[in-house]
Amino acid sequence: MARLVHFLIVFTLALLFFGFVLLKLVFPSWVYDLPNNYKIRKTSNQNVVLGLELDGDFVTEKYGICDYVGEFQYNERYVGVKALKVEEEMVQVLFYLVDTEKQMIRGPFFDEESYLAAMGVWEVPVLSEWITTTEVPSGARHQ
């Protein structure tokens, strides 16, 4: 009887462990560190957001972008975001420019031309190439 109980406990723990591992493989979550404690976080297939880590908390309201971050680019100070907003079965692409030093979000810009023009007005130095979030970006940390 004791052997059966021991077997059931070990079997249950093994199932829980492998279930957790499988879940992480199917729905991998990751974090991409950006300048000044800003981060891009993927927590599910429907949730990739930009936020600021303040005192150990990840804050998206006021400091971040909650629409699905499809692509991003950055330099030492600025982060550019191409976000997807879904409303009534329609997907809209929105562009944002984040000044990570001043914790200021500019946008949304409704097309890339307006976004690029704003970068010129604010004299934003060259940003990296667009980095997509559909795959885990090189340099991201798994959670």
Side-chain angles (χ1 to χ4, degrees):
M1 181 68 173
R3 288 182 130 186
L4 178 61
V5 170
H6 182 260
F7 171 78
L8 289 175
I9 290 172
V10 170
F11 183 73
T12 302
L13 290 174
L15 277 178
L16 288 172
F17 174 75
F18 288 116
F20 178 75
V21 169
L22 182 60
L23 187 63
K24 283 294 190 181
L25 291 174
V26 173
F27 302 109
S29 60
W30 50 262
V31 174
Y32 194 98
D33 295 319
L34 295 166
N36 300 310
N37 291 324
Y38 274 84
K39 299 176 185 315
I40 301 278
R41 273 199 177 165
K42 179 175 185 176
T43 57
S44 73
N45 286 340
Q46 293 82 30
N47 191 17
V48 180
V49 297
L50 172 83
L52 176 62
E53 191 165 301
L54 289 173
D55 301 321
D57 293 326
F58 185 69
V59 181
T60 55
E61 295 116 27
K62 184 178 176 185
Y63 300 109
I65 297 168
C66 294
D67 294 326
Y68 186 93
V69 175
E71 296 181 57
F72 65 98
Q73 56 183 174
Y74 67 99
N75 61 23
E76 299 81 27
R77 177 176 177 176
Y78 293 94
V79 177
V81 171
K82 197 183 295 185
L84 306 175
K85 185 176 187 88
V86 178
E87 288 183 341
E88 299 178 20
E89 299 181 23
M90 190 172 110
V91 177
Q92 184 175 20
V93 179
L94 302 172
F95 294 84
Y96 295 89
L97 184 60
V98 181
D99 183 335
T100 64
E101 285 182 4
K102 295 183 178 180
Q103 298 177 347
M104 182 184 305
I105 299 174
R106 295 184 169 119
F109 303 100
F110 297 98
D111 56 55
E112 193 164 15
E113 290 172 20
S114 301
Y115 167 74
L116 294 172
M119 288 177 59
V121 168
W122 290 305
E123 299 177 348
V124 175
V126 174
L127 298 175
S128 67
E129 295 295 318
W130 286 107
I131 300 167
T132 184
T133 63
T134 53
E135 300 290 327
V136 179
S138 176
R141 301 182 277 115
H142 287 279
Q143 286 189 304

